[in-house]
Amino acid sequence: MPIGDSDTPSASPGYAKNQAVLAELIGRDRKTIQRWLKIEGNPGHTADGRYPIEEWKEWIDKSGRRHGKKEKENKLDIETKIAAGKLEMQDIELAKMRGELLHVDEVVSVMSALFGGLVSNLRTLRHNIAPQVVGETVPEATKRLGNAHDGLLQDLSLGDWAKKKYSGRESPSSSPPSRQSLSLRLVCP
């Protein structure tokens, strides 16, 4: 249909009747055709305004304009994404080799143990500390409660799960990692 329409005198086989039809046939937009018309050596159009389709296709191929700017950018974007994906996979493999990568099931297990222990210990803390603070001043009772909470959190942060996880590894300080570094490794393997 776009190549030639017998009802119009300006269209015949092998010719596009206008820039829009030519653009559609060669996979571009009309603005690209207008830009290319300004380039010396383009096939142009006939005296009656028709565009020779085959000549335009040959000119596009010879002048290296087969792939539009968007197509080149898309290809570059895809290649960049592929390279980034490969790099990410290498980072994951390296983290696995270093033992820095935790499976989601392990993280869930550790977090469940942490929070389960926290809830259990917090529930018993008030019963254990209450006899110690009876008769104390408010500042002294607050201090004892704070120390008890800190001790509880310290015990939980480096519990049995952490000792098992890091027992076979050497760390720079030859002691288990701090609570902060453990939490960072759990969140960001």
Side-chain angles (χ1 to χ4, degrees):
M1 180 178 178
I3 292 177
D5 188 355
S6 60
D7 293 341
T8 59
S10 63
S12 61
Y15 289 88
K17 63 180 178 179
N18 57 38
Q19 292 175 9
V21 173
L22 177 64
E24 183 178 328
L25 289 171
I26 61 175
R28 295 290 190 272
D29 59 24
R30 192 176 50 80
K31 288 185 179 188
T32 300
I33 302 299
Q34 289 175 344
R35 264 195 327 271
W36 287 351
L37 283 168
K38 295 175 185 175
I39 297 173
E40 189 174 327
N42 72 68
H45 54 80
T46 61
D48 61 356
R50 297 177 300 151
Y51 294 85
I53 299 166
E54 289 305 315
E55 288 180 33
W56 272 95
K57 287 181 178 179
E58 287 175 21
W59 180 78
I60 289 168
D61 287 337
K62 286 180 184 175
S63 63
R65 289 175 170 76
R66 175 50 61 201
H67 299 290
K69 188 175 181 180
K70 288 182 182 178
E71 290 174 13
K72 287 180 184 177
E73 288 174 1
N74 288 342
K75 185 177 179 183
L76 182 61
D77 288 346
I78 290 169
E79 289 171 354
T80 302
K81 287 178 183 178
I82 289 171
K86 287 179 181 179
L87 184 59
E88 186 176 355
M89 290 302 294
Q90 289 174 349
D91 287 343
I92 290 170
E93 289 302 318
L94 184 59
K96 281 182 185 177
M97 290 184 339
R98 291 181 179 163
E100 295 174 345
L101 189 65
L102 299 176
H103 192 273
V104 68
D105 293 337
E106 187 177 359
V107 173
V108 168
S109 173
V110 167
M111 296 306 288
S112 295
L114 270 174
F115 286 109
L118 178 64
V119 168
S120 174
N121 288 326
L122 282 175
R123 285 186 176 156
T124 60
L125 182 65
R126 62 182 173 189
H127 299 292
N128 294 335
I129 198 75
Q132 296 175 13
V133 296
V134 171
E136 296 285 338
T137 63
V138 172
E140 183 60 32
T142 302
K143 183 178 177 182
R144 283 189 183 213
L145 285 169
N147 289 338
H149 280 130
D150 290 345
L152 172 69
L153 292 173
Q154 183 65 30
D155 289 345
L156 288 174
S157 69
L158 296 175
D160 291 337
W161 65 270
K163 292 173 188 164
K164 288 178 190 173
K165 182 74 178 170
Y166 293 97
S167 63
R169 293 193 202 151
E170 288 184 36
S171 65
S173 64
S174 70
S175 64
S178 68
R179 179 176 38 157
Q180 182 179 8
S181 67
L182 283 176
S183 64
L184 289 176
R185 287 187 183 185
L186 288 172
V187 174
C188 306

